[in-house]
Amino acid sequence: MKSSPYRWASSGDVNAFFGLMLDNIAGLVLTVGLLSAFFGFPVDFALRYMIPGTAIGVLIGDLMYFWLAFKLAAEQRRSDVTAMPLGLDTPSTIGMVFFVLGPAYVAATHSAFMEIAAAGDLVQDSINATIESVKQAARTDEAIDNLVNMVPHQAAMATWHIGICAILIMGLIKSVLAFGADWIRQVFPRAGLLGSLAAIALVLIAFTQMPDIAVNPIVGFASLVIVLATLVARGKLPFRIPGALGAVVTGCVIWYLLVGYDQATGSNLAYPAETASTIWFPIQWWSVFTFDWINSFGQAVGYLPYIIPFAIATVIGGIDCTESAASAGDEFQTSHIIGIEAAATILAGFCGGVIQTT
């Protein structure tokens, strides 16, 4: 049987790209925003140390799925195989922030201030001593000020190391569970697997996306209307522009028009976010390759009651997604899907990432 060449790219991939890309960016923003808003975690540190490794894990994982699609297309002599998508897991992203990273940062900050308090006692003792001791106290007091200024960075560094260890543990757990993924998919009926996947999607849309749209309704609802009209109702935009791309472009145009109007009139229609310094090519995350984080495995073990369920949840999600692909005709081997997901998570950890892929 002669097969046609594999069409590895089509117009539908434009929608898929923007859907996956924006979802992953939202996951990164969610991580940084929650850490900063609820725990006072330094944003600059998160952008320079945590985000690059997480992004690398997603990129390499998607490339591995891309290769897997080529492999399946060659085996089945088909031209319409779609690659599995890899991204950041939203539920465990929220869980990692509130149950692992945030508490670790608070604990590290508390520990650092306890050390400073102990140093402060030494200063007080020296002040009550001789004149020479008072001179020494002044120098010590200056050192304490320097310590206080260094606390956020040091605590963030300790948190980063714990997060790396946690992600590596998750990746190892998923690597082991990958061996039983095919059996689990065979045991459970398709309706059960896809039903849970749809339920999770509806919950995430309702509780993480709609509030963001409502915060800035002029921009949000304009984009939402285009998404519903094109991706749900199958309507067509002029010049055959993909729906996801059209929604992004429309939202950006409206946003910048509102920003210009706000600057001209002094109004506040765009609800602009706080400005931050632009970081194009951070290199601070390269310090992960000194492997100082290895000493934090003992602390990460204390978070196993959270780490293990997060890892299992993404394995279940991977099995569900594999069944979803099979229902559309792309029969991937479940153990391969989960295995690549595990490898991407481990790679993200080795590069300094703190959020697992799914």
Side-chain angles (χ1 to χ4, degrees):
M1 183 178 67
K2 185 179 180 179
S3 61
S4 57
Y6 179 37
R7 293 186 300 110
W8 60 268
S10 67
S11 59
D13 291 319
V14 178
N15 276 331
F17 168 78
F18 278 95
L20 185 61
M21 181 266 290
L22 292 174
D23 181 72
N24 285 324
I25 289 179
L28 296 176
V29 172
L30 183 68
T31 302
V32 177
L34 290 178
L35 279 173
S36 174
F38 287 92
F39 300 98
F41 194 94
V43 172
D44 190 70
F45 185 96
L47 295 177
R48 294 180 185 274
Y49 289 84
M50 294 179 168
I51 296 303
T54 303
I56 289 173
V58 172
L59 173 62
I60 299 302
D62 273 315
L63 290 176
M64 293 172 72
Y65 280 151
F66 184 54
W67 168 80
L68 200 63
F70 270 82
K71 184 172 179 289
L72 181 63
E75 290 175 354
Q76 298 186 353
R77 306 182 72 178
R78 291 170 50 202
S79 62
D80 59 348
V81 174
T82 300
M84 288 286 283
L86 188 95
L88 303 179
D89 180 54
T90 303
S92 66
T93 295
I94 298 172
M96 279 291 293
V97 168
F98 284 105
F99 298 111
V100 178
L101 299 177
Y105 180 71
V106 171
T109 303
H110 176 74
S111 176
F113 276 118
M114 289 296 290
E115 294 179 5
I116 293 174
D121 291 338
L122 294 177
V123 172
Q124 186 62 44
D125 292 341
S126 60
I127 289 176
N128 296 332
T130 62
I131 296 176
E132 185 62 32
S133 297
V134 172
K135 293 180 181 178
Q136 180 64 31
R139 290 192 293 270
T140 307
D141 197 37
E142 182 180 355
I144 290 174
D145 289 338
N146 293 333
L147 283 174
V148 171
N149 294 330
M150 284 295 294
V151 164
H153 180 83
Q154 292 175 342
M157 184 68 70
T159 302
W160 181 42
H161 290 170
I162 292 174
I164 292 171
C165 295
I167 293 303
L168 289 174
I169 293 173
M170 287 183 187
L172 294 174
I173 292 173
K174 290 193 280 190
S175 298
V176 174
L177 295 179
F179 291 100
D182 288 301
W183 176 80
I184 293 175
R185 185 179 155 209
Q186 293 173 0
V187 169
F188 289 90
R190 173 170 290 181
L193 296 174
L194 300 188
S196 61
L197 190 65
I200 293 172
L202 291 174
V203 169
L204 292 179
I205 290 172
F207 288 99
T208 65
Q209 308 303 323
M210 289 304 296
D212 291 336
I213 292 174
V215 166
N216 202 330
I218 299 177
V219 177
F221 281 106
S223 299
L224 178 62
V225 166
I226 294 177
V227 168
L228 294 176
T230 56
L231 302 184
V232 178
R234 303 295 182 182
K236 301 293 183 183
L237 292 178
F239 309 108
R240 299 177 63 85
I241 298 175
L245 175 60
V248 172
V249 171
T250 300
C252 289
V253 169
I254 294 176
W255 168 267
Y256 285 110
L257 287 175
L258 290 176
V259 170
Y261 180 80
D262 288 346
Q263 293 176 347
T265 63
S267 57
N268 193 29
L269 292 176
Y271 302 101
E274 295 183 8
T275 58
S277 59
T278 301
I279 303 172
W280 289 108
F281 299 105
I283 61 174
Q284 289 77 8
W285 64 276
W286 291 355
S287 63
V288 70
F289 299 117
T290 62
F291 299 102
D292 294 336
W293 46 267
I294 291 178
N295 298 322
S296 298
F297 268 107
Q299 294 172 279
V301 168
Y303 296 96
L304 281 178
Y306 305 113
I307 293 173
I308 294 175
F310 294 157
I312 293 175
T314 59
V315 171
I316 295 173
I319 295 172
D320 291 347
C321 289
T322 307
E323 186 65 28
S324 176
S327 68
D330 296 336
E331 189 68 51
F332 292 102
Q333 189 169 335
T334 317
S335 58
H336 291 171
I337 297 299
I338 304 300
I340 289 177
E341 176 191 327
T345 298
I346 292 174
L347 178 63
F350 272 114
C351 293
V354 296
I355 302 298
Q356 67 171 338
T357 53
T358 185

